[in-house]
Amino acid sequence: MPLPGLSVRLLAVAAAMAALALLPSHAETNVKSAERARLKQAAEDERAELRKRLDQLKQDILRTEKARAHAADSLSASEAAISTANRKLRELATEQERTEHRLVKLSVNQEKLEAAVRQQRERLARMLREQYAKGQDDRVHLLLSGDNPNRIARELRYLGYVSAEQTKAIDELQQDLATIASNREEAEEARRVLQDIADEQQEQKALLEKEKTTRKQLLAQLSGKLSAQRREAGSLARDEERLGALVEKLTTLIAQQRKVEEEAARKRAKIDARERDKLAEKRDDKPASRTPPRDNPAAPAAEHESSAFARLKGRLKMPVKGELLASFGARRTDGPSWKGLFIKAAEGSEVNTVAAGEVIFADWMRGFGNLIIVDHGGQYMSIYGNNQSLLRRPGDKLKTGDTIATVGTSGGNEQSGLYFELRFQGRALDPADWINR
């Protein structure tokens, strides 16, 4: 006797196989593409508040200066746009690489699934042929045969096993067909994402070329003014004061953020302690003994951060490969002494963070062009200026050696290279004491 409902199941399998041949609709792909855009926008929104605070901080610093026209300010918009376009291109390249890797994995999975489905079809076809060969009314014949009841019971059990095996085979086939359809949908979406990325890359490349042309024209117009203002001693001193004010305000901002995190940690610790006590009471046990919370539970972490970076003294790597043109403490012509290093390097060379930390500032600033500042904890910071592009944004967590920028001449600098500083509690340190050259 055939498996009850077998025809219905076979029809379901056939329907699933027919559905497998259909690709996702254009509307479905557009929904997925819109979801990618929504997720990207959500990530941008998360950064908005921090960006707003940093913009306000920068404006506060500029308001403390007397109103002065500076030729380099005319370059700020194009240099910031070049930086943004390059960062977006790098982010798109990373996303493209991830998507291509995912597409390869989906293709491999598709081949495996299709091979499994072929085997399942052959197995199911064998079962159906065997059952057909035995006849459609085996159970009725057995019941009416008048044979030994024990033998009849054994035969019926055997037929039940065969039916169960058929059911299992059909279920597995349906599941794999559904997985193939889903897998194919994912692969189509990955291809759609790759196309979106390619379109975005074209837009960013066009924008980059436009901004480079704009900057080149501005430089030609402003070259005389820029040279004169670079030689002005007062201008260099004001640049240093501006950077010092920025570092001071960032230090305050970090301290405020740390205070908020410490308070949140204390609250979480109290809640966790109450929950442990409640669980202990429910088990009729005494509350678990615990060390009383410290007045400042995050203090040990701060001490660890400070000592962790301090232990790197003399072991840091240069942030970029190049020729050292200016050292800490050296006098500038008619200006203040250098507070850091100037390392000559080819435009576009990668700039790497000297230690793990978090980006706390990444923006254009007069005197330093595209500037990025990394907080290493324990009131230690590293500063990287005159970059062509900033590849990281405030809030990004970094590992030692991560690429954070590319070398350039932003801020009206004549020489392509990187300006690099180390600071502790706002005070400039001699990088030569920290770097192993």
Side-chain angles (χ1 to χ4, degrees):
M1 187 174 184
L3 176 68
L6 180 58
S7 299
V8 175
R9 284 178 172 274
L10 287 173
L11 285 173
V13 173
M17 290 168 64
L20 179 63
L22 299 176
L23 292 175
S25 69
H26 185 66
E28 285 174 337
T29 333
N30 282 340
V31 168
K32 294 278 184 71
S33 189
E35 177 67 9
R36 173 177 175 265
R38 188 189 68 76
L39 290 173
K40 287 183 75 173
Q41 186 58 49
E44 288 298 321
D45 291 343
E46 283 181 12
R47 297 179 184 270
E49 182 59 31
L50 179 58
R51 191 161 55 240
K52 183 179 175 183
R53 293 174 73 181
L54 291 174
D55 286 343
Q56 184 62 50
L57 182 151
K58 196 169 75 164
Q59 292 305 316
D60 289 346
I61 292 170
L62 291 174
R63 274 198 295 270
T64 62
E65 299 179 334
K66 293 180 181 178
R68 297 174 186 271
H70 199 287
D73 291 351
S74 303
L75 299 170
S76 63
S78 61
E79 288 183 345
I82 288 169
S83 173
T84 300
N86 273 321
R87 174 177 53 75
K88 286 185 176 178
L89 281 169
R90 193 179 182 96
E91 289 173 349
L92 286 168
T94 302
E95 188 181 358
Q96 184 180 46
E97 187 179 347
R98 280 199 306 264
T99 306
E100 286 173 347
H101 181 65
R102 178 167 157 256
L103 188 57
V104 168
K105 285 181 69 176
L106 286 168
S107 298
V108 171
N109 287 343
Q110 189 80 352
E111 290 175 7
K112 288 180 180 177
L113 284 165
E114 287 173 354
V117 164
R118 283 194 296 273
Q119 291 176 352
Q120 287 165 341
R121 282 173 176 158
E122 291 169 3
R123 175 183 166 209
L124 189 57
R126 273 198 313 273
M127 288 181 180
L128 293 174
R129 281 196 301 272
E130 287 171 3
Q131 186 177 17
Y132 181 80
K134 288 182 178 180
Q136 301 298 311
D137 53 353
D138 284 351
R139 296 185 188 219
V140 176
H141 284 163
L142 278 171
L143 290 171
L144 298 177
S145 65
D147 205 344
N148 185 313
N150 290 331
R151 179 180 171 278
I152 292 173
R154 282 196 305 274
E155 291 292 335
L156 286 173
R157 272 201 304 275
Y158 169 73
L159 289 173
Y161 294 149
V162 171
S163 296
E165 189 65 19
Q166 288 174 338
T167 302
K168 182 182 175 184
I170 291 171
D171 287 343
E172 287 175 356
L173 181 56
Q174 285 177 316
Q175 286 171 11
D176 282 349
L177 287 169
T179 305
I180 284 177
S182 174
N183 198 79
R184 182 176 289 176
E185 223 174 281
E186 280 192 59
E188 286 302 312
E189 173 54 20
R191 291 187 185 95
R192 176 71 178 220
V193 167
L194 286 174
Q195 184 57 53
D196 288 347
I197 290 170
D199 293 343
E200 276 191 67
Q201 284 174 328
Q202 288 301 316
E203 290 174 14
Q204 290 301 324
K205 284 175 182 175
L207 177 62
L208 181 61
E209 291 307 314
K210 177 185 173 184
E211 294 299 341
K212 280 182 175 179
T213 302
T214 301
R215 182 176 183 273
K216 187 176 179 181
Q217 292 169 347
L218 283 170
L219 277 173
Q221 295 168 14
L222 300 168
S223 59
K225 277 188 180 180
L226 285 169
S227 296
Q229 287 176 339
R230 270 194 296 267
R231 290 192 296 270
E232 185 191 333
S235 177
L236 294 173
R238 285 192 298 275
D239 289 346
E240 286 195 358
E241 288 172 11
R242 194 179 305 112
L243 181 59
L246 174 62
V247 169
E248 184 181 337
K249 288 180 180 292
L250 286 172
T251 301
T252 302
L253 191 67
I254 291 167
Q256 290 171 349
Q257 183 62 31
R258 182 179 293 281
K259 192 174 180 181
V260 170
E261 290 170 359
E262 288 172 5
E263 185 59 33
R266 275 196 292 270
K267 287 180 180 177
R268 282 196 301 272
K270 287 179 181 178
I271 292 168
D272 290 345
R274 283 199 296 268
E275 290 299 320
R276 284 197 300 270
D277 289 348
K278 284 179 184 177
L279 287 171
E281 286 170 7
K282 284 180 181 178
R283 293 195 303 266
D284 294 325
D285 293 333
K286 292 181 180 179
S289 61
R290 62 181 184 277
T291 305
R294 298 169 181 254
D295 290 337
N296 186 358
E303 290 167 10
H304 173 71
E305 286 176 351
S306 176
S307 60
F309 190 85
R311 284 197 297 271
L312 296 174
K313 190 170 183 177
R315 297 163 53 198
L316 300 180
K317 291 184 178 180
M318 289 284 274
V320 67
K321 292 179 181 178
E323 179 188 353
L324 189 62
L325 293 189
S327 300
F328 179 87
R331 291 288 298 177
R332 303 194 200 198
T333 307
D334 298 327
S337 58
W338 288 88
K339 293 288 193 297
L341 309 178
F342 187 80
I343 308 159
K344 178 184 175 183
E347 190 167 329
S349 301
E350 290 189 344
V351 177
N352 305 312
T353 180
V354 294
E358 180 180 346
V359 177
I360 53 169
F361 186 85
D363 204 344
W364 192 94
M365 192 164 187
R366 186 192 292 179
F368 300 94
N370 290 317
L371 178 72
I372 189 164
I373 302 178
V374 179
D375 171 37
H376 300 291
Q379 300 186 66
Y380 284 96
M381 294 181 188
S382 55
I383 298 170
Y384 313 77
N386 303 123
N387 298 287
Q388 179 192 62
S389 305
L390 306 176
L391 304 178
R392 301 301 184 110
R393 293 182 278 183
D396 283 356
K397 300 290 191 296
L398 303 171
K399 300 187 296 295
T400 300
D402 278 351
T403 301
I404 56 173
T406 58
V407 169
T409 57
S410 63
N413 214 32
E414 284 182 306
Q415 181 73 60
S416 172
L418 174 73
Y419 178 67
F420 173 68
E421 278 191 21
L422 282 177
R423 296 218 177 196
F424 174 61
Q425 296 179 341
R427 178 173 53 86
L429 303 173
D430 185 355
D433 296 335
W434 291 76
I435 290 173
N436 179 7
R437 296 191 65 201

